[in-house]
Amino acid sequence: MSEDRRLHVLQAIVKDYVETREPVGSRVLVERHALDVSPATIRNDMAALEEQGYIAQPHTSAGRIPTDKGYRLFVDQIDTVKPLSPAERRAIQNLLEDAVDLDDVVDRTVRLLAQLTHQVAVVQYPSLSRTALRHLELVPLSPHRLLVVIITDAGRVEQRTVETAAEVDQAVVAELRARLNVVCAGRRVEALTQPLADLAAEFAPAHRPLVEAVAAELLQTLRQETQERIVMAGTANLARSDVDFPRTIGPVLEALEEQVVLLRLFAEMEEDPIAVRIGSENHHEGLTEASIVASAYGARPPGIARLGVLGPTRMDYPGAIGAVRAVARYLSRILGG
């Protein structure tokens, strides 16, 4: 029974500290949370929690605050996340459904997530290496120029032009378009090299230069556009949380500027549908006082990319987890449509 009560005490300390930013004392816990025991009993529980490393006393005569270990136990014991309100759910749906293209979707998503959580929002852009091709379109622009339109299953659109020595034959273009879609639809970049190399042999020798040129342009585009990148919003929210970074907020901002840091953290979270990394768990010096909540998005497991929020360890974890999960689901639905 005492272990259950100590867990409740820890949960109460986390909730109060997240809300007030003030160390929490035993008498306040009894008054706010109806624990049905005396302050002396709570003090004993707090002493045990402190000895186990779940809470700490920032200075003499102060109450207690959670440690990274305490936040971890709190997060691991969350059985229900904070649901979004009907108004918030409608706002997500309406905002994302009105987007005109993938760039607009990503931009709207990252701004929305920052507004919902009041943290720094991060969305990993779906690179072509993580997506499959949905459709290829060939559009003759002139007798010697052809537009190649690449559409991925994430809604990403790339356009390239191909110059041809011979005059573009409309019938050949139509046949090539059909065969390219048979070969490429549903496949990822790494699975396309050989099928595209073999495609020219299916055409008459006079038309093979056009087929080879289109295939070469397609492969070059896919290889060039595989670089991972992220989009961020809400960095100003960190400035309002500067008291949550006892040393300085500078290292956190520097880590955010190095996209490779966040991309590496996202990669480490790929096995978890909803991942939470707290303080020192981030294995980066600049983020030892920060927490990250992230989720995959995309119709196919394990997703085509990730999104999440970053903020101080004194974070509303149930709220952040609920918002990240909901936005990821809506985004997956939009891109899957």
Side-chain angles (χ1 to χ4, degrees), residues 8 10 21 53 85 96 110 180 182 184 217-218 222 237 261 320:
H8 290 319
L10 174 63
R21 295 187 179 183
S85 69
L96 295 186
V110 74
L180 280 171
V182 170
C184 297
E217 186 65 36
L218 176 57
L222 295 177
N237 290 326
V261 172

Side-chain angles (χ1 to χ4, degrees), residues 9 46 62 66 116 127 130 141 150 152 169 172 182 213 218 225-227 263:
V9 169
M46 293 173 71
L116 287 173
S127 77
R130 290 176 171 265
L141 300 177
I150 306 165
T152 74
D169 186 310
V172 173
V182 170
L218 176 57
E225 299 298 329
T226 56
Q227 183 177 1
L263 288 170

Side-chain angles (χ1 to χ4, degrees), residues 72-130:
R72 169 49 60 193
L73 181 59
F74 175 82
V75 168
D76 289 345
Q77 295 295 322
I78 292 177
D79 50 7
T80 57
V81 298
K82 188 182 296 182
L84 299 182
S85 69
E88 288 173 327
R89 291 197 297 270
R90 285 194 301 271
I92 295 174
Q93 185 172 1
N94 293 338
L95 186 67
L96 295 186
E97 286 183 346
D98 288 342
V100 297
D101 56 26
L102 181 61
D103 290 334
D104 195 20
V105 168
V106 171
D107 181 65
R108 288 169 181 250
T109 298
V110 74
R111 289 188 289 109
L112 174 66
L113 198 52
Q115 292 168 5
L116 287 173
T117 63
H118 307 291
Q119 308 291 353
V120 178
V122 182
V123 176
Q124 183 181 12
Y125 205 93
S127 77
L128 293 181
S129 64
R130 290 176 171 265

Side-chain angles (χ1 to χ4, degrees), residues 138-209:
L138 303 179
V139 182
L141 300 177
S142 71
H144 296 277
R145 294 181 67 216
L146 191 66
L147 177 67
V148 181
V149 183
I150 306 165
I151 305 172
T152 74
D153 61 354
R156 183 168 177 176
V157 179
E158 294 290 335
Q159 299 182 8
R160 297 292 186 272
T161 57
V162 173
E163 302 286 342
T164 65
E167 189 169 324
V168 173
D169 186 310
Q170 297 280 0
V172 173
V173 169
E175 183 182 358
L176 178 57
R177 180 192 301 116
R179 294 198 183 187
L180 280 171
N181 279 292
V182 170
V183 167
C184 297
R187 291 189 175 184
R188 295 197 178 193
V189 176
E190 63 271 13
L192 291 175
T193 302
Q194 193 58 49
L196 287 175
D198 296 338
L199 189 59
E202 301 179 16
F203 288 80
H207 302 142
R208 288 174 187 173

